[in-house]
Amino acid sequence: MTSAIDESAVVEELYRGSREDFLPTRASRVREARAAGDRDLAARLGALRKPTVGAWLVNQVVWRHPARIAELTSLASRLRSVHQHGDGEQIRAAGRERQALLRSLDAVVREVASGAGLRPGAETVNQVTATFQAALVDPAALRLVRSGRLAATVEQDADLMGLLPQMDTPAPVWPSRPAPPERPVRPAPTPAPPVVSPPVATPPPVVSAPPVAPAPPAPSKELVEAGRREQECAAARERAEEGLTAAQEHAARTREAADEARARFNRAREEHDAALAAIVVARAALTTADREVRAAHQAVVALRDR
């Protein structure tokens, strides 16, 4: 059935809001979807992942500083064009502009983190920087960043699918716990009519006490096993997310080292080109000096022969 709940608005609310409020807000929206009778929507909302600290910071930059994201988008387009059609000077200029934008975004991220009372470590900062670097060179990563709905930071060479909630296909969920069946309540027995025994006086009617309600049935072994399995799967998912975070942090560190190596190589190449140019100038000067020495020598010889 079609629900009156706007799924896109709920997803935006979750990823735009406070990270601490993500889980309680998600649980509240899932209950609302179930109450509305849309179990498919409830399943999709329940499968949404809480963003990592790095992903949450990127999302906040998207929502709070759209002008920076517009600069990121524009520069990404220029970088692709320059690397395809530009010369060396244009490429170097675009690289300097890229570094300036990344530094600017880093300052914005630190401002957002400070306002939220967060003190992100070096690994988280590297993840955020790597995400913006990926957005500059990978159109798929740029689309993910601009959505403002990241659950995890992205890498240029990583599998970019699955980091946003899938709107089309509901995620599998455990079936809801069935309610215990209602037990019929036995009616109270009808009191027997009083027995008249002359000459004995009529005794008062005896009213039997109402039956005691039966205790609720104990949960079945299947239900207990299903609950235990659900907890194990949730713990396995948490471990998998921690492994993903660790792998992304390692990739960020290696990417930073590669960027530094490329920067050193570019500086060395520029210095080498400048040295080659200096050699050409020096050789030209040497040739000119040789000509002047020969001319001066010939003048001396001519004066001596007079």
Side-chain angles (χ1 to χ4, degrees), residues 53-166:
V53 174
W56 184 82
L57 290 172
V58 173
N59 291 339
Q60 298 312 302
V61 173
V62 173
W63 294 116
R64 302 183 190 184
H65 301 273
R68 299 291 186 185
I69 303 304
E71 293 177 17
L72 182 76
T73 303
S74 176
L75 180 57
S77 177
R78 291 201 303 276
L79 283 174
R80 287 193 295 270
S81 176
V82 165
H83 280 278
Q84 290 176 0
H85 310 292
D87 57 18
E89 181 55 33
Q90 290 175 326
I91 292 175
R92 287 190 292 273
R96 290 190 293 269
E97 187 176 356
R98 167 180 171 272
Q99 292 300 327
L101 178 60
L102 289 175
R103 285 193 296 269
S104 175
L105 288 170
D106 179 74
V108 171
V109 168
R110 293 181 184 276
E111 176 185 343
V112 172
S114 177
L118 298 175
R119 298 180 63 183
E123 292 179 344
T124 298
V125 173
N126 288 339
Q127 289 175 1
V128 174
T129 301
T131 296
F132 288 131
Q133 288 176 335
L136 284 171
V137 297
D138 192 325
L142 178 61
R143 288 193 296 270
L144 290 175
V145 169
R146 292 180 62 188
S147 72
R149 300 174 178 182
L150 289 179
T153 52
V154 299
E155 297 286 343
Q156 178 182 349
D157 301 324
D159 183 7
L160 301 177
M161 301 305 295
L163 297 180
L164 284 180
Q166 298 294 328

Side-chain angles (χ1 to χ4, degrees), residues 283-295:
R283 284 178 177 171
L286 177 61
T287 301
T288 302
D290 285 341
R291 285 198 301 267
E292 292 176 352
V293 168
R294 287 196 297 270

Side-chain angles (χ1 to χ4, degrees), residues 239-306:
R239 290 192 297 271
E241 289 185 348
E242 291 175 358
L244 173 62
T245 300
Q248 290 176 334
E249 291 173 352
H250 177 69
R253 290 192 297 270
T254 56
R255 184 172 301 280
E256 182 178 1
D259 288 343
E260 292 177 355
R262 280 194 293 269
R264 290 194 299 270
F265 172 77
N266 289 336
R267 288 193 297 270
R269 183 170 58 185
E270 291 177 355
E271 292 174 359
H272 177 67
D273 292 343
L276 292 178
I279 290 174
V280 173
V281 172
R283 284 178 177 171
L286 177 61
T287 301
T288 302
D290 285 341
R291 285 198 301 267
E292 292 176 352
V293 168
R294 287 196 297 270
H297 178 69
Q298 291 173 358
V300 170
V301 172
L303 289 174
R304 285 177 180 175
D305 292 340
R306 286 184 180 180

Side-chain angles (χ1 to χ4, degrees), residues 3-25:
S3 173
I5 300 175
D6 187 344
E7 181 177 2
S8 179
V10 172
V11 175
E12 177 178 333
E13 175 190 22
L14 290 172
Y15 288 98
R16 187 172 187 171
S18 168
R19 185 170 180 268
E20 289 72 21
D21 295 338
F22 184 95
L23 294 180
T25 302

